[in-house]
Amino acid sequence: MYWNERIERISREELTEIQNNRFSKMLRRIYHNVPFYRNKFQELDIYPEDIRGIEDISKLPFTTKQDLRDNYPYGLFATDLSQIVRLHASSGTTGKPIVVGYTREDLNNWAEVCARSIVAAGGSSNSVIQIAYGYGLFTGGLGLHYGAERLGASTIPISSGNTDRQIMLMKDFHTTFLACTPSYALFLADALKDQGISPEELDLKSGIFGAEPWSENMRKEIEKKLNISAHNIYGLSEICGPGVASECSCKNGMHIWEDHFYPEIVDPVSLEPLPYGSLGELVFTSITKEGIPLLRYRTRDLTALHNELCECGRTHVRMERVMGRSDDMIIIRGVNVFPSQIEDVLLQIGELEPHYQLVVTREGTLDCLEVQVEVTDNLFSDKIKNLESLANMIRQRLSSVLQISSKVTLVEPRSIPRSEGKAKRVIDKRNY
Ligand code: ADP
Ligand code: ZN
């Protein structure tokens, strides 16, 4: 099933033509309306007319998160504030948030890509969609909300948190489709179990989970515990929010809606473009954005793109699961470690719960990584000796994958703090 079959199955030639058209309009828009870009172009002695098409994009400069911060709040907007009908902001752990603005047309396009994403994940106008992403400045809730309404689904704007209420509505309202972060989906699953409700008693069929990295093993857990089909959805506020890319029923990567977002993969160090299939930093150009169109925005997310045709019939390229943000990477004794690598190892071990936290400390001059992970109820009440040998086994597997040693602490079920939004996986206690 498709939401917009003509566009979702469009031929590569036609898609490139649309991209070229939209890209050249966008270049003119940012050159004339955004002094930041005009200055950058002039420094490089480039005029929008010099760019023949999207294949010339690598001649153009990148945009970074720092550029957004430096131009806080409205400096990169390409329209007058009177045309902006919505503002969102991303959390921004330090200092000021990143602010993004949408024109009416931007909201229209955003709803379109979210509707496509929901349909790709098995939703339809008959779905009852429970949106348990936060509503507010965070883009997750409202983004999917308008997508679900566009689709004609019965939309429940419950927002995040209040797990008992989530469960009550899920039962009483016969929710068929769930949207939230993957860590919250697991949290809900555990809460259901605690209340003695089996997933078969619910009407849930599928769900769309994103806003944070998760692994294939985590998908299996969610699918098993909630008895649904779980799909990955990707997005970032700077480009629009959720719905930049989303998985179809083939679950072999997320289709990037390329008629709106032009993707590239570059080497994070040299910034040279990389071919399909190579792992690198994902870069987006928002070719239809009016409020805040960004040129070659460096997402910091590491992934690879694939252009082989997907069995679902959609022609838009697919991105792999995000393996981590380059700024989430922890460097331990000089070795790069991504939380997702650790998650993969942990979830292959049956006795563990998919709840973990990484604590990094420094003892003297040496970095220490402690992996805290919850064990299942049965095991925790088991003999200490069994726990020890399990911890040893995990330590060995981690060291062969990460090439560094770590400390493994098995903790009681439900002892690691849960998040209703994005999970906090890394606690870095080192003083730099
Ligand atoms: P913040 O920067 O405050 O977290 P955003 O909501 O804009 O605000 O976060 C976007 C980021 O979330 C992306 O750049 C990416 O790192 C992460 N993200 C979003 N969806 C996914 C996903 N499906 N898999 C992995 N990471 C994701
Ligand atoms: Zn597909």
Side-chain angles (χ1 to χ4, degrees), residues 168-326:
M168 182 180 85
L169 297 198
M170 203 175 266
K171 268 174 71 179
D172 297 351
F173 291 10
H174 303 287
T175 301
T176 60
F177 193 102
L178 176 65
C180 60
T181 56
S183 50
Y184 192 60
L186 276 180
F187 184 66
L188 273 172
D190 288 345
L192 279 170
K193 196 172 161 210
D194 288 347
Q195 297 188 11
I197 302 169
S198 92
E200 286 75 23
E201 292 172 50
L202 301 171
D203 298 279
L204 275 185
K205 289 190 182 57
S206 46
I208 207 162
F209 307 106
E212 65 187 8
W214 52 310
S215 62
E216 205 49 49
N217 282 312
M218 185 126 160
R219 183 200 320 263
K220 286 189 199 129
E221 289 278 335
I222 293 174
E223 294 197 323
K224 188 176 74 193
K225 289 187 168 170
L226 287 176
N227 192 27
I228 57 171
S229 176
H231 300 257
N232 201 354
I233 180 168
Y234 169 89
L236 63 167
S237 319
E238 296 88 325
I239 299 305
C240 72
V244 172
S246 204
E247 263 181 343
C248 62
S249 56
C250 304
K251 298 183 190 171
N252 56 1
M254 297 173 272
H255 290 283
I256 296 175
W257 305 121
E258 286 181 273
D259 52 326
H260 293 285
F261 320 111
Y262 182 79
E264 295 173 82
I265 294 285
V266 302
D267 180 306
V269 181
S270 71
L271 301 182
E272 283 305 313
L274 295 175
Y276 286 118
S278 326
L279 183 67
E281 181 177 337
L282 182 60
V283 169
F284 278 113
T285 298
S286 35
I287 53 180
T288 50
K289 248 311 173 55
E290 295 179 340
I292 177 169
L294 298 180
L295 179 62
R296 307 191 82 201
Y297 182 70
R298 292 185 55 189
T299 63
R300 304 270 166 193
D301 292 325
L302 301 172
T303 182
L305 299 181
H306 295 279
N307 64 343
E308 298 85 16
L309 274 193
C310 185
E311 278 175 27
C312 75
R314 290 176 182 81
T315 48
H316 298 234
V317 297
R318 282 161 295 134
M319 60 181 269
E320 284 178 18
R321 280 183 178 288
V322 173
M323 103 168 252
R325 283 207 230 197
S326 53

Side-chain angles (χ1 to χ4, degrees), residues 328-375:
D328 266 357
M329 187 180 77
I330 31 183
I331 303 181
I332 294 166
R333 281 169 257 144
V335 177
N336 299 347
V337 174
F338 286 96
S340 59
Q341 293 174 294
I342 297 178
E343 178 175 309
D344 247 353
V345 171
L346 296 179
L347 295 194
Q348 278 164 26
I349 300 169
E351 293 94 339
L352 302 179
E353 292 288 338
H355 300 288
Y356 64 95
Q357 209 159 42
L358 314 176
V359 183
V360 191
T361 50
R362 185 165 284 159
E363 289 172 16
T365 54
L366 201 63
D367 296 332
C368 298
L369 169 67
E370 179 187 355
V371 178
Q372 301 178 345
V373 56
E374 292 180 10
V375 294

Side-chain angles (χ1 to χ4, degrees), residues 390-408:
L390 178 63
N392 265 328
M393 188 258 274
I394 300 170
R395 196 159 33 240
Q396 277 165 17
R397 289 206 192 170
L398 283 174
S399 110
S400 76
V401 170
L402 306 176
Q403 308 298 325
I404 53 162
S405 60
S406 57
K407 180 177 169 201
V408 172

Side-chain angles (χ1 to χ4, degrees), residues 69-117:
R69 291 213 176 93
D70 293 344
N71 290 282
Y72 176 85
Y74 300 144
L76 293 187
F77 284 21
T79 43
D80 198 74
L81 214 50
S82 64
Q83 305 297 309
I84 298 290
V85 297
R86 176 98 63 81
L87 292 161
H88 277 286
S90 87
S91 51
T93 38
T94 49
K96 303 274 194 195
I98 300 287
V99 183
V100 291
Y102 304 71
T103 64
R104 224 173 268 291
E105 185 58 14
D106 292 337
L107 290 184
N108 186 32
N109 289 335
W110 189 17
E112 157 77 23
V113 293
C114 282
R116 286 186 207 169
S117 302

